[in-house]
Amino acid sequence: MANKFNPKTKLWHIVLGFLCLFLVHSVNAQEIDNNDSLTDSIGFEAPKNVKDPKKAIYLSLIFPGAGQVYNEKVWKLPLLYSGVSTAIYFLNFNNRRYKEFIAALEIVREGTETNPFPNLNEDGIIRNVNYWRRNRDAMYMVFGAIYALGAVDAFVDAHLSGFDVSDDLTFKLEPSMEPMLANNNAIGLSLKIKF
C-alpha cells in the first residue's frame, strides 16, 4: 500500500498542532505568582492601604456610610447623615401637607363637613395638592441623589486610596514678568508644579 499525500489531513494536523500549542501556552500564562507583596511592571511596591472600590460601593449601597467607614473616612459620616436626615424630614413634612390637602379635597367634594381651609375653594385646594405632591416627589429624588452621592464618594475614595501623594508633589504660585514686543513687559502670576 502506497502512502499517498492528502492535503486535507496534513492541514488538519497543522491546525491541531497550533491548537495544542496555544492551549499549552494559555495554561502556562495562567500561573499564579504567590508573592506576598504586589509590584507593578516597573518594580515599585504597591501601597499596603489600597482599598477595593467594588467592596466600598457595595457596602455603601447596602448601608449608607459603610463605604466611608471602610475607606477610613469617618469624618464624612456626619455630612452624609445630616443630608439624609434633612431629606427625610422634608419628605415627611411635604407628605403630611399633601395628605392634609387630599383629606380637605375629599371633605369639600362631599360637602358634609366644613372646609378645614376656609380661605380656599376647591380649585385652591387642588393647586395645593399638586404643589405638595411635587415637593414630596422632589424630595424622593433629593434623597436618592444623596444616597447615590455617598456611594459614588466611597467608590472614588477607594480608587484614590492608592494614589501617590508624596512630598515631591508641590504647587507654587509665584509672580512672573514676561518680555513682550517693543520693550514692554507683562506682569502676572505663574503656577509651577513640581513632580
Side-chain angles (χ1 to χ4, degrees), residues 5 27 36 40 42 56 63 75 88 101 119 168 176 180 192:
F5 176 73
V27 170
D36 289 335
D40 63 4
I42 300 174
F63 189 76
W75 64 271
I88 289 173
F101 279 100
N119 294 338
D168 294 338
S176 68
M180 300 290 282
K192 295 184 179 180

Side-chain angles (χ1 to χ4, degrees), residues 83-99 130-149:
V84 167
S85 60
T86 303
I88 289 173
Y89 171 78
F90 282 111
L91 190 131
N92 187 24
F93 175 76
N94 290 323
N95 194 39
R96 273 186 312 199
R97 295 294 289 176
Y98 170 69
K99 287 181 180 179
N130 292 334
Y131 173 78
W132 292 109
R133 184 181 60 237
R134 275 193 314 270
N135 286 353
R136 181 199 61 186
D137 295 346
M139 290 315 298
Y140 278 123
M141 290 188 287
V142 167
F143 176 78
I146 292 171
Y147 191 81
L149 188 64

Side-chain angles (χ1 to χ4, degrees), residues 26-72:
S26 296
V27 170
N28 288 336
Q30 296 298 320
E31 290 179 10
I32 298 173
D33 186 18
N34 289 329
N35 290 343
D36 289 335
S37 65
L38 297 173
T39 57
D40 63 4
S41 61
I42 300 174
F44 292 115
E45 191 168 324
K48 304 254 187 261
N49 59 353
V50 175
K51 305 294 182 186
D52 182 22
K54 287 182 184 178
K55 186 174 182 180
I57 198 166
Y58 289 145
L59 285 172
S60 193
L61 288 174
I62 290 171
F63 189 76
Q68 281 74 12
V69 171
Y70 170 72
N71 289 333
E72 299 172 5

Side-chain angles (χ1 to χ4, degrees), residues 138-163:
M139 290 315 298
Y140 278 123
M141 290 188 287
V142 167
F143 176 78
I146 292 171
Y147 191 81
L149 188 64
V152 168
D153 174 64
F155 181 76
V156 169
D157 245 352
H159 261 297
L160 295 178
S161 66
F163 188 72

